[in-house]
DNA sequence: AACTCTTTCAACCGCCCGGAA
DNA sequence: CTTCCGGGCGGTTGAAAGAGT
């Protein structure tokens, strides 16, 4: 049985124009996201509902940060990818300002290649720890690992719930891109000027669009556009610019050698999730979701509250765990 | 300046899942 | 219980821009 197309009418494909963006944003401002099926009909956009949703979630939604991944974000992506595999949505949930698509692109275009280079250089001795790029962790592996490490997770839960730990997790930090030095690595993309938010994105689009459009044309959607102008201001309330923190040095104590090698590759120090408030805030929520989803009924979701230093250690002990898993 | 190769990333495609009917 | 539908996800594509010659 073939699946019906998500939209019955002929839909436009390809890049979104500023006009379309404005219409979509304006509509969502008014009605809120959701009921995507109705969006093309109600807005008159010749786009399929999926396309509208995607455009909103990946580009127009407030608070989205684009380009210029920070050191901290990069570390998180690498670790989470190793932990979760190519589950970009889950990974993105740890980086609230990033979309799964953005992370996926960043991984595929840059991090993966970098890791592959690293692997080939290390000839499988160290590189295999992070080789999930070529061999993503399967769901079964993930579950086995979860069970294998359940005791550690329980212990970690206790630790994580201690007030002292929680306080330390929420300490602000300074993470400027200027500190970002991954050897010869260039910024994510030549044209990925760090868009602070979607408001900026749209503002840029608008700027160019206004140049090329007469007022008459612009006024063909008077209400939408006027209200959108105001909407942008509201949307711009999300000030996401340069708010990331630089991780203080420190990080995991275990697997020092591995970390050092890895760090030398990426030019930064071992991951210290305790310094990342965003991460720590989202960790309990999302990790519990992930773990509830992924773990078998008998397992606990204690990992949800696990301090990431432990997860990291666990991750870095992959060799051992991998060997354990094969025995199961 | 012109051409080719490489890289980036926005967007599409198809599958899957959960909820409603 | 089954079917349908909307939404979400991950893999992939291809246009555009940059880099190299």
């Amino acid at each position: 049985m073939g699946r019906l197309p998500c939209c019955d009418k002929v839909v436009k494909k390809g890049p979104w124009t500023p006009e379309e963006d404005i219409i979509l944003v304006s509509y969502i401002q008014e009605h809120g996201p959701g009921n995507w099926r109705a969006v093309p009909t109600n807005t008159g956009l010749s786009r399929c509902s999926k396309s509208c949703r995607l455009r909103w979630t990946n580009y127009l939604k407030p608070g989205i940060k684009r380009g210029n991944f920070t050191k901290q974000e990069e570390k998180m992506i690498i670790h989470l990818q190793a932990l979760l595999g190519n589950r970009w949505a889950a990974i993105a949930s740890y980086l609230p300002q990033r979309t799964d698509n953005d992370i996926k692109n960043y991984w595929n275009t840059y991090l993966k290649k970098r890791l592959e280079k690293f692997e080939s250089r290390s000839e499988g001795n160290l590189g295999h720890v992070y080789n999930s790029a070529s061999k993503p962790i399967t769901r079964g592996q993930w579950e086995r690992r979860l069970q294998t490490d359940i005791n550690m997770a329980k212990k970690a839960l206790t630790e994580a719930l201690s007030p002292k730990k929680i306080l330390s997790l929420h300490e602000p930090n300074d993470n400027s891109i200027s500190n970002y030095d991954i050897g010869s690595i260039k910024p994510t993309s030549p044209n990925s000027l760090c868009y602070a938010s979607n408001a900026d994105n749209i503002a840029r689009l608008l700027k160019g669009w206004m140049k090329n459009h007469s007022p008459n044309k612009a006024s063909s959607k008077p209400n939408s556009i006027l209200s959108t102008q105001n909407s942008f201001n509201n949307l711009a309330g999300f000030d996401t610019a340069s708010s990331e923190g630089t991780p203080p040095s420190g990080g995991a104590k275990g697997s020092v050698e591995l970390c050092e090698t890895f760090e030398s590759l990426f030019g930064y120090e071992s991951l210290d999730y305790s310094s990342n408030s965003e991460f720590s805030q989202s960790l309990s929520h999302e990790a519990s979701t992930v773990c509830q989803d992924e773990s078998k009924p008998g397992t606990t979701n204690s990992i949800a509250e696990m301090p990431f230093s432990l997860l990291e250690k666990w991750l870095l002990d992959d060799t051992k765990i991998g060997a354990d898993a094969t025995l199961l």
Side-chain angles (χ1 to χ4, degrees), chain A residues 69-82 95 106 111 130 175 180 182 245-251 262-263 266 268-273 275 308 312 315:
Chain A
F69 279 77
T70 66
K71 193 164 132 181
Q72 183 75 13
E73 286 172 326
E74 199 171 278
K75 285 189 246 178
M76 285 177 68
I77 293 166
I78 292 163
H79 276 71
L80 288 166
Q81 203 281 339
L95 297 152
Y106 188 56
L111 291 177
Y130 288 99
N175 185 15
Y180 190 57
I182 307 187
T246 292
S249 61
F262 190 66
E263 284 153 14
F266 284 92
Y268 50 65
E269 293 169 10
S270 177
L271 183 58
D272 183 1
Y273 288 93
S275 68
F308 226 82
E312 183 188 16
L315 187 63

Side-chain angles (χ1 to χ4, degrees), chain A residues 2-223:
Chain A
R3 191 173 171 76
L4 293 167
C6 63
C7 296
D8 38 11
K9 66 179 174 180
V10 178
V11 296
K12 184 184 170 190
K13 292 183 182 178
W16 279 65
T17 64
E19 293 97 321
E20 289 174 316
D21 283 340
I22 290 164
I23 292 167
L24 182 60
V25 170
S26 180
Y27 177 82
I28 290 170
Q29 275 289 297
E30 203 176 329
H31 299 90
N35 195 11
W36 295 107
R37 182 103 178 157
V39 173
T41 314
N42 295 344
T43 58
L45 286 168
S46 306
R47 293 279 181 174
C48 103
S49 57
K50 273 183 153 186
S51 185
C52 293
R53 180 176 57 81
L54 220 58
R55 182 65 180 170
W56 172 255
T57 55
N58 287 338
Y59 202 83
L60 301 172
K61 195 165 73 175
I64 289 174
K65 191 169 69 177
R66 305 184 58 76
N68 287 338
F69 279 77
T70 66
K71 193 164 132 181
Q72 183 75 13
E73 286 172 326
E74 199 171 278
K75 285 189 246 178
M76 285 177 68
I77 293 166
I78 292 163
H79 276 71
L80 288 166
Q81 203 281 339
L83 183 66
L84 301 170
N86 293 354
R87 300 180 57 213
W88 306 116
I91 292 170
S93 66
Y94 291 95
L95 297 152
Q97 296 177 318
R98 301 292 188 179
T99 67
D100 53 354
N101 207 39
D102 215 15
I103 293 170
K104 181 171 62 183
N105 279 334
Y106 188 56
W107 174 267
N108 286 332
T109 58
Y110 165 59
L111 291 177
K112 195 165 89 174
K113 288 173 189 170
R114 198 73 192 172
L115 285 168
E116 278 166 359
K117 255 186 204 172
F118 170 60
E119 278 171 38
S120 64
R121 242 191 291 166
S122 61
E123 292 180 341
N125 285 329
L126 299 171
H128 68 281
V129 171
Y130 288 99
N131 73 350
S132 55
S134 51
K135 287 187 184 175
I137 295 170
T138 66
R139 186 166 290 204
Q141 284 175 314
W142 158 253
E143 287 169 353
R144 280 197 297 275
R145 287 180 182 194
L146 196 63
Q147 287 198 315
T148 304
D149 217 48
I150 201 70
N151 289 331
M152 188 197 283
K154 282 179 182 172
K155 191 179 163 188
L157 175 62
T158 314
E159 196 183 319
L161 291 175
S162 74
K164 191 180 169 186
K165 187 79 188 177
I166 288 166
L167 274 175
S168 74
L169 283 171
H170 288 80
E171 287 196 354
N173 44 60
D174 167 41
N175 185 15
S176 61
I177 292 166
S178 58
N179 292 338
Y180 190 57
D181 177 23
I182 307 187
S184 60
I185 298 165
K186 57 184 178 182
T188 52
S189 133
N191 60 349
S192 62
L193 303 167
C194 185
Y195 291 159
S197 67
N198 76 310
D200 265 4
N201 297 346
I202 299 164
R204 283 165 195 268
L205 290 169
L206 266 177
K207 216 174 176 180
W209 179 67
M210 291 300 189
K211 279 182 193 167
N212 300 325
H213 290 74
S214 68
N216 289 342
K217 184 168 183 183
S219 65
S220 64
K221 302 260 180 195
N223 293 335

